[in-house]
Amino acid sequence: MTLKAIFEPESIAVIGASSSPDKWGHVILKNLLSSGYKGEVFPVNPKDQTILDRKCYNSVLNIPVHVDLAVIAVPRSYALNVTEECGKKGVKGIIMVTAGFSELGGEGREIEKELVEIIERYHMRLVGPNTLGVVNAHTGMNASIISRLPEAGGISFITQSGTLGLALADWTMEMGLGLHLVISTGNKANIDDVDLLEYLAQDPNTDVIAMYVEGISRGRDFIKAAQRISKPILALKTGRTQSGAKAVFSHTGSLAGSDEVYSAAFKQAGIIRVDNIEDLFDSALALSVQPAPNGNRVGIISNGGGASIIASDACERLGLTISELLPATQQKIKKLIPEFASAHNPIDTAGLAKFETYNGIVRHMLLDPNIDALVVIYVHTIMGDPAQPAQAVVDIRRGDCSKPIIACWMGGTGTEQGVKILKNGGLPNYPVPDRAVEALASLVQHHGFLEKVKI
Amino acid sequence: MNGKHDVWELLKEYQIPVLPIVKASSLEEVIEVSNSMGYPVVMKISSPDISHKSDVGGIILDINSEEEVKNAYHNMMDTVNQKVPDARIDGVMLQKMAEPGIEVIIGVKLDPQFGHVIMFGLGGIFVEIYRDVSFRVTPINSEMARDMILEIKSSPILMGARGRPAADINAIINVIIKLSEMLEKNPDIVELDINPLIVYEKNAVAVDARMLKNEKN
């Protein structure tokens, strides 16, 4: 069954909509009305006539037209009833923001079972419960409590932790990262990671899948689903230790903690495992705008030696090679740099950061068969113009050369102009070389998975 | 239910090469078995109550003659009786001493999320101190098995570092994929360790193994 009703609904009911600004039912309705969503939005609450100048219905059953999606933010005691009404109404998808289910254990677990039973009986699909909602940046649908809509882009983000998910979504906005869907999965009572991977695999707006995972239930299905997806999948998995270990019988038992098993499973599934939030989105950014390289041989160009040494060290640490350029390439590059500067990879232009310098060197390096990917660094100085080298790289007509380029414009606010040009040109930019190289390593890893793991 | 015998039979059933092990319950039997096996032999205590044999003097290596067999048997019985007086002893297990080779460990764990997981590592300090091991979720094919062998940091030792002959990687791969097949058919296995599997230039042989099954089944 399609999850389209949830991610691309034509009409939405907000059940538990509220006129008091401190209620989630208010926040969600406001977000939906203010984010540019084109479909119809219906507040539902028996206590109010209008909310936010919209006619309010006392039940979803009284909405005169079809409703694709219901976002439910009612007290738990009403949750089952309103879900049942949604079923009767013919609603296809539910986003259950209401909490107090299996995450509490005990009674909550039982109520969640009943909830799923209703969902299945009416052939609906459910995100949550205990979710902070779903965002579709392309359609302007903010069915969540995220404060503002991210910029539209190719990264879809699945997060198991609600509040962390919010913080992360905010953070991507700070970074100016383009997102497509943000899905807070909550308790995954009906729609889980496997369903979402299968949906996102088919979704034309999703280029990269980023996941924040605490646990996965259908482990084997998850591996199989991920193997079938050639889009890059990145995962930040937390919960590194498993408590309550029993007396261990075997060596393997003591060494195979859940974290080791997750690492193995991700590798088998062709999922890039990252260690922290910064890596998750740094890598997602690179993967969403650049192709995967055919190998791990990196070319580096910089107008300052220090930065290129840091980049080279990072490459070595992450298993990337700084390969020697062909003599012919070196000859061509020599003509573009001062006589005393070296034309060996990594290329140090000895301060030069003119348009012609960067344009020429990058072009020659891209054409060199010994190079699979480029890291282009610009270190800002007071006399420097960050726009020139940026424009120089962006202007290169890539033709049939599909080698990735990762940018690193260092120097904070002074580089803004250049960074903007890079961004508009589809080049991922990072403020320090290490982060640029980390992101590049993810591209290389993805290429390895495409060759070996992906079906 | 998790006796030595079970795991040995199961390994043999899946064509995992094992070093024959024979049980003997009296001194006469011990001598007879040892003589027919050929020296040197290894003697291990056989008791349902003792899982860490070496801790209680329950393993004696490198026994070279009938005379040494007698001494070893008496010594073992005395020491074990002293250290764990309540343990039920039903004799000893005898095994021919394995030729030296590279010791590796291959293990299985049932993970609640992903099902059976196979572990590979070099034996001894590499597993115990450095935790230099790799994992894969089953089913595992030969290419995946090769990757998991090459993935550990100490894999150069298997490749014949410092002029030593290379170990038979294909023999290890074979054990891993046979184990993977075994697990498909035996979902009730919770943990299993082959420790050590001794790998030679040609072939490999399991010298010891332990298995824990889900008792509910």
Side-chain angles (χ1 to χ4, degrees):
Chain A
M1 197 195 297
T2 177
L3 305 186
K4 225 174 162 166
I6 292 175
F7 300 120
E8 295 174 41
E10 285 174 11
S11 51
I12 306 173
V14 180
I15 302 175
S18 168
S19 42
S20 48
D22 56 332
K23 293 267 174 68
W24 285 7
H26 180 87
V27 176
I28 291 168
L29 179 64
K30 203 174 107 195
N31 284 346
L32 274 171
L33 294 176
S34 61
S35 57
Y37 173 66
K38 297 281 191 302
E40 287 201 83
V41 179
F42 306 101
V44 177
N45 189 332
K47 288 183 212 145
D48 288 291
Q49 300 294 316
T50 60
I51 302 176
L52 293 167
D53 298 329
R54 296 263 162 157
K55 177 177 162 54
C56 185
Y57 295 85
N58 61 3
S59 157
V60 72
L61 290 166
N62 294 331
I63 297 172
V65 296
H66 175 73
V67 174
D68 270 345
L69 170 68
V71 184
I72 298 176
V74 298
R76 192 189 72 179
S77 49
Y78 299 110
L80 296 184
N81 274 339
V82 298
T83 306
E84 181 100 33
E85 286 182 357
C86 288
K88 288 180 180 149
K89 169 73 183 160
V91 170
K92 292 185 210 141
I94 305 277
I95 297 174
M96 178 70 75
V97 175
T98 303
F101 293 86
S102 65
E103 78 275 14
L104 295 184
E107 188 201 16
R109 203 181 296 273
E110 293 307 310
I111 298 174
E112 188 167 300
K113 265 188 207 157
E114 289 178 50
L115 173 67
V116 172
E117 195 267 321
I118 297 168
I119 293 290
E120 287 172 356
R121 179 147 36 93
Y122 289 101
H123 306 290
M124 296 187 282
R125 295 307 302 266
L126 164 84
V127 173
N130 189 27
T131 163
L132 296 187
V134 170
V135 168
N136 182 333
H138 279 92
T139 63
M141 178 187 79
N142 185 0
S144 81
I145 61 170
I146 292 173
S147 58
R148 58 202 162 110
L149 211 55
E151 208 171 302
I155 303 165
S156 283
F157 176 42
I158 303 170
T159 173
Q160 190 169 357
S161 158
T163 42
L164 183 63
L166 283 187
L168 293 187
D170 266 333
W171 196 69
T172 64
M173 292 176 232
E174 301 291 320
M175 277 184 77
L177 209 66
L179 298 187
H180 172 43
L181 297 175
V182 178
I183 305 155
S184 154
T185 59
N187 296 358
K188 304 195 258 199
N190 174 251
I191 294 174
D192 68 3
D193 305 280
V194 179
D195 299 309
L196 292 174
L197 284 185
E198 282 168 353
Y199 177 79
L200 295 177
Q202 306 297 324
D203 173 31
N205 286 322
T206 299
D207 301 320
V208 176
I209 300 163
M211 309 181 75
Y212 170 82
V213 181
E214 286 166 2
I216 280 163
S217 44
R218 290 191 282 157
R220 286 185 177 234
D221 293 341
F222 178 77
I223 292 177
K224 280 186 199 140
Q227 280 173 337
R228 286 192 295 263
I229 301 174
S230 56
K231 294 176 186 178
I233 307 172
L234 295 147
L236 174 61
K237 164 75 176 74
T238 55
R240 288 205 167 246
T241 52
Q242 201 174 31
S243 56
K246 58 178 170 57
V248 178
F249 176 84
S250 72
H251 264 300
T252 312
S254 70
L255 291 171
S258 76
D259 197 58
E260 287 76 15
V261 177
Y262 270 101
S263 281
F266 285 168
K267 201 179 299 161
Q268 281 171 260
I271 294 176
I272 301 166
R273 183 170 186 180
V274 294
D275 293 328
N276 56 57
I277 292 166
E278 194 173 76
D279 283 354
L280 181 68
F281 287 106
D282 278 355
S283 296
L285 170 64
L287 284 158
S288 70
V289 291
Q290 290 286 297
N294 284 323
N296 70 344
R297 298 165 309 165
V298 180
I300 298 173
I301 149 170
S302 169
N303 60 333
S308 66
I309 293 168
I310 294 172
S312 305
D313 285 351
C315 283
E316 189 159 317
R317 184 162 45 81
L318 295 167
L320 307 176
T321 311
I322 309 295
S323 60
E324 192 58 89
L325 300 168
L326 287 182
T329 310
Q330 294 188 31
Q331 285 302 321
K332 287 172 192 154
I333 290 174
K334 269 200 174 110
K335 292 176 188 152
L336 295 161
I337 55 178
E339 208 161 320
F340 58 87
S342 139
H344 289 283
N345 189 20
I347 305 287
D348 176 1
T349 68
L352 277 186
K354 299 237 172 285
F355 182 95
E356 298 74 29
T357 320
Y358 268 59
N359 189 274
I361 295 173
V362 169
R363 189 147 26 88
H364 296 316
M365 284 178 105
L366 282 177
L367 290 171
D368 192 309
N370 286 351
I371 296 290
D372 299 312
L374 284 188
V375 176
V376 182
I377 302 170
Y378 165 76
V379 186
H380 189 52
T381 58
I382 219 147
M383 298 92 74
D385 174 7
Q388 275 200 42
Q391 197 62 52
V393 184
V394 168
D395 273 4
I396 288 169
R397 283 195 49 210
R398 305 289 281 275
D400 46 21
C401 159
S402 61
K403 296 175 185 177
I405 302 177
I406 309 290
C408 171
W409 259 230
M410 295 178 76
T413 45
T415 61
E416 266 168 8
Q417 237 190 318
V419 170
K420 206 168 158 191
I421 294 169
L422 293 168
K423 197 184 163 194
N424 291 337
L427 291 189
N429 179 59
Y430 303 90
V432 290
D434 309 78
R435 280 173 63 183
V437 173
E438 286 269 2
L440 178 57
S442 293
L443 289 183
V444 173
Q445 200 181 345
H446 180 58
H447 170 74
F449 286 144
L450 285 176
E451 301 253 291
K452 255 191 144 156
V453 179
K454 301 293 187 179
I455 301 164
Chain B
M1 54 94 215
N2 55 16
K4 180 95 207 167
H5 197 62
D6 281 0
V7 63
W8 225 240
E9 288 310 312
L10 200 55
L11 293 178
K12 282 196 248 176
E13 189 187 325
Y14 284 87
Q15 292 110 42
I16 293 172
V18 297
L19 197 61
I21 189 157
V22 180
K23 193 166 155 185
S25 37
S26 67
L27 180 59
E28 290 69 35
E29 231 183 305
V30 168
I31 291 168
E32 193 190 313
V33 169
S34 303
N35 281 336
S36 69
M37 261 183 179
Y39 295 97
V41 297
V42 179
M43 186 183 292
K44 296 177 190 176
I45 197 76
S46 174
S47 161
D49 303 320
I50 300 171
S51 56
H52 293 286
K53 300 181 185 69
S54 53
D55 295 352
V56 297
I59 296 182
I60 298 176
L61 304 172
D62 208 14
I63 304 167
N64 279 298
S65 64
E66 194 173 316
E67 199 52 36
E68 285 183 36
V69 165
K70 283 183 199 162
N71 289 335
Y73 183 78
H74 291 307
N75 280 340
M76 183 176 287
M77 291 303 162
D78 288 350
T79 324
V80 170
N81 267 325
Q82 229 170 46
K83 293 208 167 161
V84 269
D86 298 334
R88 291 166 289 170
I89 308 293
D90 44 17
V92 297
M93 312 290 290
L94 292 159
Q95 209 171 16
K96 196 163 160 46
M97 212 49 197
E99 295 286 323
I102 299 176
E103 296 193 3
V104 303
I105 166 168
I106 299 175
V108 174
K109 188 199 154 175
L110 184 63
D111 179 83
Q113 269 77 39
F114 293 98
H116 281 126
V117 176
I118 295 186
M119 181 197 88
F120 171 78
L122 288 195
I125 58 165
F126 294 102
V127 164
E128 283 173 19
I129 297 172
Y130 297 118
R131 303 172 85 89
D132 180 21
V133 290
S134 59
F135 298 92
R136 290 291 184 280
V137 177
T138 60
I140 300 176
N141 63 29
S142 60
E143 198 186 338
M144 291 160 74
R146 185 178 298 275
D147 283 348
M148 75 186 284
I149 294 166
L150 298 181
E151 195 174 294
I152 61 166
K153 291 191 194 79
S154 43
S155 67
I157 291 173
L158 294 165
M159 299 305 149
R162 295 183 169 242
R164 271 179 256 181
D168 188 345
I169 302 290
N170 287 328
I172 309 175
I173 292 172
N174 185 51
V175 172
I176 293 172
I177 58 184
K178 295 286 185 201
L179 257 185
S180 178
E181 273 172 41
M182 177 204 290
L183 295 166
E184 296 289 298
K185 305 264 167 60
N186 293 273
D188 55 338
I189 295 176
V190 177
E191 285 179 23
L192 188 158
D193 273 2
I194 297 177
N195 183 21
L197 176 83
I198 301 190
V199 193
Y200 303 105
E201 271 179 81
K202 276 218 172 303
N203 302 327
V205 64
V207 173
D208 202 356
R210 294 149 60 78
M211 178 171 69
L212 183 67
K213 283 186 156 189
N214 189 341
E215 291 170 49
K216 275 176 274 181
N217 294 345

